[in-house]
Amino acid sequence: LQALSLTGAALVLLGYAGQQYAGLRGDGLAYGLVNLIGSALLASTALRPLNAGVLVLEATWAAISLGIVVRALRRRGGPPVG
């Protein structure tokens, strides 16, 4: 559980640092994917024991990140989604 949590946190922070310091686009596929995976991992670790605040925050972050991924794929002409 700790490994999942640390991996999730590292991915979210990697996306943030990449956007702030390395020119990673906030609306790009890479940014959306690292945030989606990282926040999903963190949300899963908030289930047991239940940590409602973290679960709501990370599930919302994952949903927003999924929207970024979908839009980025549509811009690329990727597979149709939804």
Side-chain angles (χ1 to χ4, degrees):
L1 197 59
Q2 289 297 327
L4 288 177
S5 179
L6 289 170
T7 301
L11 288 170
V12 170
L13 291 171
L14 178 68
Y16 178 72
Q19 184 185 28
Q20 295 300 308
Y21 300 109
L24 192 62
R25 289 180 48 150
D27 63 347
L29 183 60
Y31 179 81
L33 284 173
V34 296
N35 275 291
L36 175 59
I37 295 166
S39 58
L41 288 174
L42 285 167
S44 71
T45 65
L47 292 170
R48 287 200 180 144
L50 180 62
N51 186 334
V54 172
L55 182 58
V56 168
L57 174 69
E58 296 304 332
T60 303
W61 194 292
I64 292 167
S65 298
L66 179 59
I68 293 170
V69 169
V70 169
R71 286 189 353 207
L73 287 173
R74 285 185 177 157
R75 277 196 312 271
R76 288 180 153 198
V81 181

